[in-house]
Amino acid sequence: MSSLSRELVFLILQFLDEEKFKETVHKLEQESGFFFNMRYFEETVTNGEWDEVEKYLSGFTKVDDNRYSMKIFFEIRKQKYLEALDKRDRAKAVEILVKDLKVFSAFNEELFKEITQLLTLENFRDNEQLSKYGDTKSARGIMLVELKKLIEANPLFRDKLQFPTLKNSRLRTLINQSLNWQHQLCKNPKANPDIKTLFVDHTCGQPNGARAPSPVTNPLMGGVPKAGGFPPLSAHGPFQPAPAPLPTSLAGWMANPSPVPHPSASAGPMGLATSNNAAIMKRPRTPPTNNPAMDYQTADSEHVLKRPRPFGISDEVNNLPVAYTGQSHGQSSYTSDDLPKVVVMSLPQGSTVKSMDFHPVQQSLLLVGTNMGDIMVWDLGIRERLATRNFKVGELGSCSMQLQASLANDYSASVNHVTWSPDGTLFGVAYSKHIVHLYSYHNGDDIRNHLEIEAHVGSVNDLAFSYPNKLCVVTCGEDRLIKVWDANTGSKQYTFEGHEAPVYSVCPHHKESIQFIFSTATDGKIKAWLYDNLGSRVDYDAPGHSSTTMAYSADGTRLFSCGTNKEGDSHIVEWNESEGAVKRTYQGLGKRSVGVVQFDTTKNRFLAAGDEFQVKFWDMDSTNLLMATDADGGLPASPCIRFNKEGILLAVSTNENGIKILANQEGIRLLRTMENRPFDASRVASAAVVKVPAMGTFPPANPVVGTSIGDRAAPVTAMVGMNSDNRSLVDVKPRIPDESGEKSRIWKLTEINEPSQCRSLRLPDNLTPMRVSRLIYTNSGLAILALASNAVHKLWKWQRNVPSKATASVAPQLWQPSSGILMTNDISDTNPEDAVPCFALSKNDSYVMSASGGKISLFNMMTFKTMTTFMPPPPAATFLAFHPQDNNIIAIGMEDSSIQIYNVRVDEVKTKLKGHQKRITGLAFSHVLNVLVSSGADSQLCVWNTDGWEKQASKFLQSPTGNTAAPLADTRVQFHHDQIHLLAVHETQIAIYEAPKLECLMQWVPREASGSITHATYSCDSQSIYVSFEDGSVGVLTASTLRFRCRINPTAYLPPNPSLRVYPLVVAVHPSDPNQFALGLTDGGVCVIEPSESEGKWGTSPPLENGAGPSTTSGAAGLEQPQR
């Protein structure tokens, strides 16, 4: 459906709502699938209208669409079941069990048995895990909290949770405009036209009775020119490029612009491109009502904003969601009772809290920075400090002289600001001395150093994440500069100059697809910058010339600021962006504040500020103080405060170097739920709990970009060194970490010859044995999927409880659904033995895309059903790869050497890439570099930019001396964990390249006795490389040096059979155990292999100095000669 059709549905929905066609509104929402009305859904759930709940949901998702959907339906049906038991209606409970819950037994039989056993209890609360089940109303409320999270995390609901901002009666207005336009184009327009019908085009009758030609249908009439249009300028003229058009929000601030733009320096051509990763942009959870006081929030000033999704996804699913007037939760639905006011816990911090930020996805994780330079991550659900890091400069010798002098005097620094990245995989820390640290977060206590940037001379006063066209960090400092850094590499992108005092805060934002940054200085000046070289666009004064922070409401439509000047006067105001003027000044702040007052916003409804030993709250639409709380006492004069994303928790710093957590009723329920998980919480599906994605990816949850405000103390002035060396910190490319194994002077290659020297398991199989062409572990690590040469898939599953992952110690089950069907690829008229099989598994393990020379099939991994088939040959698909940020986008390598970028949702090939001469044999995405690397049977590697799909580089593999490859030898590619280094595998060699330039760093060539390489892959931690050979052996190499450290000979895992030559065709590695791998064999078998329990790993790395197993750099032709 086109974008206009989608917008027409929105207009009709608004019209129906205004005309009070309530049932029709929700029917159209469900049938169109464009807008999921969360308020209506909550009402039906709260009222227990279960049939309507499922019927409404069915317009957006089905039970087996993905893990989130399955969990949603399970929660609803489980609640229905428990309510029937609570009413002692056993017959109804049995009916629900058989008709509604039975479907889940195929996915978790043990859980279904446990649910069934509840029928035997007089009161199901006798079950320990259900002992805290309350009454029906409270149980439904707790379930709603979980359902809302699952819906917001479910990619099928992306861009469907909010309604565009429309003026009242927008459809009527458009029709009237159309009629007026038709009338104006009449040859003889009447003074007072009488337009009686909408069914035909309007024309005014001529004096002689003739009719003027229709302005709509006359083919000779040209298009009506747009008012105010400008002719295009030549791109090659000698003039400066014209500035990008200002969003309405900035245009009004330009009434008195600076006569000369401030100079700015750019370190890279980032460009003012529309953001290409919409996944990180915030979807407002709670839209504002149609408030006539909000004169800037109109369709005329902001239009219906659209945000492009990556890689050409259809516009019809990509409208930037804003408010649905009169449908979703309006502001009137909130009262002061929704504010978090109840103190639920106190956390000892040990030093003065300077800044806090809640995780954007995991609502109970709190990041804290202190005046001692410490940072901590707290899990409020279990009231534990998960991790702590202290201030430490990594490589002091490479720092500027000013920083070295400052640290020599006092090796300490205060944290000025902490903030999470939009998807919660990174967080940034701004220190009072020059430095910004970026850490990557991998759940629990797993925090890893990501980047260290010497960002400013003196104090770094603030930082925020933004996404102009890739993930960036915006910083500001005592040196009066604002800088933009690449969040993945640390390279500087922009420097903005123009402030005449230290820059106090930054606030990146986007409007009308234009990305910009507000900055404020300690002299009270406010400036705004686009990502270009044309200087500041705004020069304005903050109220009271105060040190100010700025923040948008959660839906990005209203702008606020709060600050305190040197005299202690504080101001909290709302801005009219279209005029660049203060729209509303809120009353109630103290007259002589101590320190800078901190503030935050929540629910698109409330403001909060820490002032006069209290937390004060305002309704955004009222200037009077709504209420205040002292949080049971013990707060400093100007406490730091921070809401979590939902606005149900509030963190407040205390006088005694601690933090108090305040909550509303929903927040209290959330924390209780986390403390006392219901019996099924983590067992229905592993994806039921929303997990933080791996570093650099963007989930469907869409947090706010860069509007990180929060608690910020006045900048601490650092001691300045003796000279003015203000050089930038040298950009260092991420290195592949060396394995820190034991380095003995006497080193010997580890040889595994006997079954007793390792643990191996041949997986049970009662199906026809055919050679295994493709093999992969599921992302959960609990199953292995194989594709045989006869186009049949096989799936082995280990039980969830014992063991907790796949293992060679316990045999799994060859899994088949009760229907007994097999996942079998279409083979058309091809011989599957001659085809090039390929498959790709979705990130949530819900479905697999696969082909064996025929059409591409999409299978449901739970039911084995074929969901769809597409792309019949010729040409046949030879390799498949899901886009890392969007499961709807697939790169498909073809037999004719092309690569097709295909959108599953709209069933459309977006673009076709051509650069190879023979079939495609490998594809790998890097979400850090935003590139796709392809490899072909022509032994060529190509790099494609995923923003525009242009080819960036290509290179042929360097043939080792004396080795001749087969004419169609496969070349496979795989990115290292750092997403920059690339493993290229060919039957003659293994090589490590650095993307995107494809510089060959290392090359390894096997000894002739081993035969050709059949496959190779990184271990899950990228520290090792597993290589399989035609002689049946498997080698383990240290990835950082390509040095051979262990050989597993076929006698260790294969039974002796002289008449049958068996060897591995493919190696798969466990997703979390770096020492476990599986082999797909020529005889159809699959073997899982692990080191012996006494060893625990595969050999030790050879020391570099003894020459064992040399690797050869590109161009060298040495052979690997491991010791025996």
Side-chain angles (χ1 to χ4, degrees):
M1 188 177 288
S2 70
S3 177
L4 285 178
S5 299
R6 175 184 167 87
E7 291 170 3
L8 183 58
V9 171
F10 288 137
L11 292 170
I12 294 170
L13 283 171
Q14 185 199 41
F15 171 78
L16 293 173
D17 182 62
E18 290 172 342
E19 297 297 317
K20 308 300 181 187
F21 296 109
K22 293 297 184 184
E23 291 185 11
T24 310
V25 166
H26 303 314
K27 183 68 174 176
L28 181 55
E29 290 167 353
Q30 175 210 333
E31 289 193 338
S32 68
F34 288 154
F35 171 65
F36 184 83
N37 190 329
M38 188 69 83
R39 182 177 182 181
Y40 174 68
F41 179 73
E42 290 179 10
E43 288 174 358
T44 54
V45 170
T46 302
N47 296 333
E49 300 168 18
W50 304 120
D51 291 342
E52 177 59 26
V53 168
E54 291 212 16
K55 182 180 177 182
Y56 189 70
L57 273 173
S58 68
F60 302 89
T61 184
K62 300 293 186 293
V63 175
D64 57 358
D65 278 346
N66 58 40
R67 299 276 178 131
Y68 299 106
S69 299
M70 180 179 295
K71 176 68 170 171
I72 291 167
F73 280 97
F74 177 80
E75 288 292 332
I76 292 168
R77 295 175 184 182
K78 183 201 71 178
Q79 180 63 30
K80 185 165 65 166
Y81 176 67
L82 293 178
E83 288 182 15
L85 289 176
D86 211 22
K87 294 175 183 176
R88 303 291 194 274
D89 190 345
R90 297 300 172 104
K92 182 68 173 177
V94 170
E95 180 185 352
I96 295 168
L97 187 69
V98 173
K99 289 186 177 180
D100 295 337
L101 289 169
K102 178 68 174 176
V103 65
F104 300 104
S105 64
F107 315 120
N108 194 326
E109 190 172 355
E110 291 301 317
L111 177 61
F112 181 73
K113 289 179 180 177
E114 193 168 352
I115 293 174
T116 304
Q117 288 169 1
L118 296 178
L119 286 167
T120 64
L121 301 178
E122 184 67 24
N123 186 339
F124 64 80
R125 293 174 182 82
D126 293 340
N127 182 299
E128 182 181 354
Q129 291 153 336
L130 287 171
S131 59
K132 296 185 181 298
Y133 184 95
D135 58 15
T136 297
K137 183 178 179 181
S138 64
R140 289 176 183 174
I142 292 171
M143 179 185 67
L144 259 177
V145 174
E146 180 76 5
L147 290 180
K148 287 169 69 176
K149 290 178 183 175
L150 290 166
I151 289 169
E152 288 168 356
N154 193 329
L156 295 178
F157 289 83
R158 187 179 300 162
D159 300 325
K160 296 181 180 181
L161 296 179
Q162 298 298 337
F163 200 89
T165 299
L166 303 177
K167 283 188 174 180
N168 290 339
S169 304
R170 182 62 180 162
L171 185 58
R172 291 181 181 275
T173 301
L174 289 172
I175 291 172
N176 286 330
Q177 289 174 351
S178 170
L179 294 174
N180 290 335
W181 174 71
Q182 293 178 27
H183 177 68
Q184 291 168 9
L185 294 182
C186 290
K187 288 188 175 180
N188 302 289
K190 294 180 180 179
N192 297 298
D194 183 15
I195 302 173
K196 297 181 178 179
T197 180
L198 302 177
F199 297 152
V200 296
D201 293 331
H202 165 71
T203 55
C204 296
Q206 294 178 332
N208 61 3
R211 298 186 67 82
S214 164
V216 178
T217 59
N218 183 358
L220 301 178
M221 181 172 288
V224 180
K226 295 181 180 179
F230 292 94
L233 294 175
S234 168
H236 304 289
F239 305 106
Q240 286 277 355
L246 289 175
T248 307
S249 54
L250 287 184
W253 296 65
M254 293 292 289
N256 299 298
S258 304
V260 180
H262 296 294
S264 66
S266 169
M270 182 181 284
L272 188 61
T274 303
S275 169
N276 204 24
N277 195 325
I280 69 167
M281 295 181 183
K282 169 81 173 178
R283 282 203 309 269
R285 285 201 168 83
T286 314
T289 57
N290 182 30
N291 189 335
M294 293 196 262
D295 56 354
Y296 62 91
Q297 186 188 345
T298 66
D300 287 345
S301 64
E302 293 185 18
H303 311 291
V304 181
L305 302 185
K306 294 186 180 173
R307 50 178 189 175
R309 295 264 304 275
F311 322 120
I313 293 181
S314 167
D315 279 346
E316 66 190 69
V317 292
N318 295 311
N319 286 354
L320 178 65
V322 276
Y324 182 0
T325 312
Q327 283 272 98
S328 294
H329 287 298
Q331 290 175 341
S332 58
S333 65
Y334 289 119
T335 68
S336 61
D337 292 336
D338 293 300
L339 292 169
K341 298 172 291 186
V342 179
V343 178
V344 292
M345 70 180 74
S346 295
L347 308 174
Q349 196 58 47
S351 50
T352 304
V353 173
K354 303 289 283 187
S355 179
M356 299 180 288
D357 194 26
F358 278 96
H359 194 279
V361 179
Q362 301 186 59
Q363 294 288 294
S364 64
L365 288 188
L366 179 65
L367 173 65
V368 182
T370 75
N371 68 329
M372 301 302 292
D374 302 328
I375 52 171
M376 298 91 171
V377 176
W378 288 87
D379 187 337
L380 306 185
I382 57 176
R383 307 191 182 203
E384 287 185 7
R385 184 184 300 171
L386 298 181
T388 302
R389 293 290 184 274
N390 308 115
F391 174 72
K392 183 179 180 181
V393 177
E395 297 183 15
L396 189 58
S398 64
C399 297
S400 67
M401 295 304 295
Q402 293 101 315
L403 178 56
Q404 291 187 47
S406 176
L407 294 176
N409 231 357
D410 177 16
Y411 197 95
S412 65
S414 170
V415 172
N416 280 338
H417 193 61
V418 295
T419 187
W420 291 99
S421 66
D423 63 356
T425 59
L426 297 174
F427 64 83
V429 187
Y431 291 100
S432 60
K433 293 183 180 179
H434 299 240
I435 292 292
V436 164
H437 280 163
L438 294 186
Y439 294 89
S440 62
Y441 181 66
H442 304 266
N443 285 339
D445 60 355
D446 191 356
I447 294 175
R448 306 174 192 174
N449 297 338
H450 179 54
L451 284 175
E452 178 178 278
I453 303 171
E454 185 172 359
H456 294 273
V457 177
S459 175
V460 183
N461 295 332
D462 194 14
L463 87 166
F465 288 91
S466 70
Y467 205 96
N469 59 5
K470 56 184 172 181
L471 186 63
C472 293
V473 178
V474 183
T475 64
C476 65
E478 190 179 22
D479 55 6
R480 308 180 182 183
L481 301 176
I482 300 108
K483 297 181 182 181
V484 181
W485 312 85
D486 186 313
N488 288 312
T489 66
S491 61
K492 185 166 60 178
Q493 306 293 306
Y494 288 92
T495 299
F496 299 126
E497 302 177 9
H499 278 290
E500 297 175 358
V503 185
Y504 180 67
S505 72
V506 287
C507 176
H509 197 57
H510 62 92
K511 289 259 182 173
E512 300 174 12
S513 299
I514 303 297
Q515 302 275 344
F516 55 92
I517 304 168
F518 278 117
S519 62
T520 69
T522 55
D523 61 359
K525 288 292 183 184
I526 298 175
K527 295 183 184 294
W529 318 80
L530 299 180
Y531 293 84
D532 58 20
N533 303 322
L534 301 177
S536 68
R537 304 303 212 274
V538 164
D539 191 353
Y540 217 73
D541 291 324
H545 297 275
S546 55
S547 294
T548 295
T549 54
M550 304 184 80
Y552 280 87
S553 56
D555 60 9
T557 60
R558 304 176 69 173
L559 178 63
F560 303 88
S561 70
C562 178
T564 305
N565 62 18
K566 296 176 182 176
E567 289 74 39
D569 296 327
S570 298
H571 304 267
I572 183 169
V573 303
E574 180 180 1
W575 291 89
N576 185 327
E577 291 182 87
S578 61
E579 298 178 7
V582 171
K583 177 179 181 177
R584 187 180 281 117
T585 300
Y586 298 92
Q587 309 299 319
L589 288 177
K591 295 299 182 184
R592 287 291 178 266
S593 302
V594 177
V596 177
V597 170
Q598 309 299 319
F599 90 122
D600 204 354
T601 69
T602 187
K603 290 184 180 292
N604 301 313
R605 181 63 176 176
F606 299 113
L607 299 168
D611 182 47
E612 295 185 311
F613 308 96
Q614 295 177 308
V615 180
K616 299 179 178 180
F617 298 95
W618 292 264
D619 185 304
M620 288 181 178
D621 294 329
S622 172
T623 59
N624 296 322
L625 184 66
L626 179 64
M627 62 160 295
T629 177
D630 65 357
D632 298 341
L635 302 187
S638 298
C640 296
I641 66 169
R642 190 65 167 154
F643 286 108
N644 75 341
K645 186 178 176 182
E646 299 286 355
I648 59 179
L649 300 175
L650 176 66
V652 187
S653 65
T654 69
N655 255 334
E656 299 177 352
N657 297 338
I659 301 166
K660 288 187 177 183
I661 304 299
L662 283 63
N664 62 11
Q665 288 305 309
E666 190 176 349
I668 293 171
R669 283 197 298 268
L670 170 69
L671 295 175
R672 284 177 179 168
T673 300
M674 300 184 71
E675 290 173 356
N676 305 294
R677 300 256 183 210
F679 76 102
D680 63 296
S682 61
R683 289 182 286 161
V684 174
S686 60
V689 179
V690 179
K691 293 185 178 180
V692 180
M695 187 183 77
T697 60
F698 305 99
N702 300 343
V704 168
V705 178
T707 9
S708 178
I709 46 146
D711 3 275
R712 193 178 286 104
V716 180
T717 304
M719 297 182 64
V720 179
M722 295 179 287
N723 62 38
S724 58
D725 177 12
N726 59 354
R727 61 196 172 108
S728 298
L729 193 65
V730 177
D731 297 331
V732 180
K733 295 178 181 177
R735 293 172 296 179
I736 304 178
D738 281 335
E739 183 178 283
S740 56
E742 305 96 358
K743 292 187 177 180
S744 170
R745 286 286 174 184
I746 303 173
W747 175 86
K748 188 175 182 179
L749 175 74
T750 301
E751 290 272 4
I752 307 292
N753 296 309
E754 302 294 333
S756 60
Q757 293 179 277
C758 66
R759 290 175 290 164
S760 67
L761 173 69
R762 187 178 176 104
L763 304 189
D765 189 356
N766 55 13
L767 299 177
T768 305
M770 299 292 288
R771 78 169 186 269
V772 178
S773 303
R774 297 291 179 263
L775 191 69
I776 191 173
Y777 282 84
T778 58
N779 295 289
S780 67
L782 281 165
I784 289 178
L785 178 68
L787 173 58
S789 60
N790 62 351
V792 174
H793 299 78
K794 299 177 184 179
L795 180 66
W796 289 270
K797 287 185 177 183
W798 279 261
Q799 292 296 319
R800 282 191 174 273
N801 298 327
V802 182
S804 59
K805 66 177 180 67
T807 176
S809 303
V810 177
Q813 176 188 3
L814 178 62
W815 198 84
Q816 284 182 273
S818 54
S819 63
I821 63 173
L822 298 175
M823 285 192 290
T824 306
N825 280 333
D826 169 72
I827 58 175
S828 300
D829 297 326
T830 61
N831 180 356
E833 290 285 333
D834 298 331
V836 179
C838 55
F839 66 17
L841 187 63
S842 65
K843 287 180 288 188
N844 58 10
D845 296 335
S846 294
Y847 51 90
V848 62
M849 193 85 64
S850 185
S852 295
K855 295 178 185 177
I856 300 173
S857 301
L858 179 66
F859 295 102
N860 186 308
M861 281 279 284
M862 300 166 190
T863 64
F864 281 17
K865 291 180 181 178
T866 304
M867 299 169 67
T868 186
T869 60
F870 55 95
M871 284 198 179
T878 55
F879 205 92
L880 299 167
F882 282 101
H883 190 279
Q885 274 95 42
D886 190 342
N887 266 343
N888 293 315
I889 302 296
I890 306 167
I892 306 174
M894 308 298 286
E895 197 171 34
D896 67 354
S897 77
S898 67
I899 302 165
Q900 300 194 19
I901 306 302
Y902 177 76
N903 188 318
V904 179
R905 186 177 292 276
V906 297
D907 188 21
E908 183 176 276
V909 175
K910 291 298 183 182
T911 189
K912 186 179 289 189
L913 313 179
K914 294 184 178 180
H916 289 274
Q917 282 77 51
K918 296 180 181 178
R919 72 179 183 221
I920 304 302
T921 58
L923 295 168
F925 282 98
S926 168
H927 55 251
V928 169
L929 300 176
N930 291 328
V931 297
L932 169 68
V933 175
S934 60
S935 59
D938 55 2
S939 302
Q940 183 184 194
L941 308 179
C942 294
V943 179
W944 313 86
N945 185 298
T946 55
D947 292 334
W949 298 108
E950 303 92 358
K951 185 160 75 169
Q952 288 185 256
S954 64
K955 185 169 288 189
F956 285 90
L957 295 183
Q958 299 168 358
S959 296
T961 304
N963 286 45
T964 304
L968 282 176
D970 286 359
T971 305
R972 299 294 177 84
V973 285
Q974 181 189 7
F975 270 103
H976 184 278
H977 196 268
D978 66 12
Q979 294 285 294
I980 294 173
H981 293 85
L982 182 79
L983 172 66
V985 181
H986 187 265
E987 65 175 28
T988 65
Q989 64 179 283
I990 287 174
I992 304 293
Y993 289 83
E994 186 174 64
K997 294 183 179 180
L998 294 180
E999 177 188 355
C1000 185
L1001 305 179
M1002 290 180 284
Q1003 183 186 53
W1004 180 88
V1005 180
R1007 62 189 179 92
E1008 292 182 7
S1010 299
S1012 298
I1013 296 171
T1014 60
H1015 196 248
T1017 183
Y1018 277 122
S1019 60
C1020 63
D1021 59 2
S1022 295
Q1023 297 296 299
S1024 303
I1025 298 173
Y1026 294 103
V1027 191
S1028 59
F1029 300 96
E1030 277 188 339
D1031 69 352
S1033 65
V1034 178
V1036 185
L1037 279 68
T1038 299
S1040 57
T1041 59
L1042 288 191
R1043 292 179 179 270
F1044 211 92
R1045 72 170 189 261
C1046 179
R1047 173 181 283 106
I1048 301 139
N1049 289 303
T1051 52
Y1053 68 91
L1054 290 176
N1057 188 347
S1059 63
L1060 184 63
R1061 178 171 173 255
V1062 179
Y1063 59 91
L1065 289 171
V1066 60
V1067 186
V1069 296
H1070 192 279
S1072 60
D1073 183 348
N1075 290 302
Q1076 184 186 134
F1077 63 91
L1079 302 176
L1081 305 174
T1082 53
D1083 67 352
V1086 173
C1087 283
V1088 174
I1089 304 178
E1090 297 179 279
S1092 64
E1093 292 187 15
S1094 59
E1095 291 294 331
K1097 61 181 180 179
W1098 298 111
T1100 57
S1101 298
L1104 295 177
E1105 62 271 16
N1106 82 352
S1111 62
T1112 64
T1113 58
S1114 58
L1119 295 180
E1120 174 66 16
Q1121 297 291 347
Q1123 295 180 358
R1124 289 195 173 274

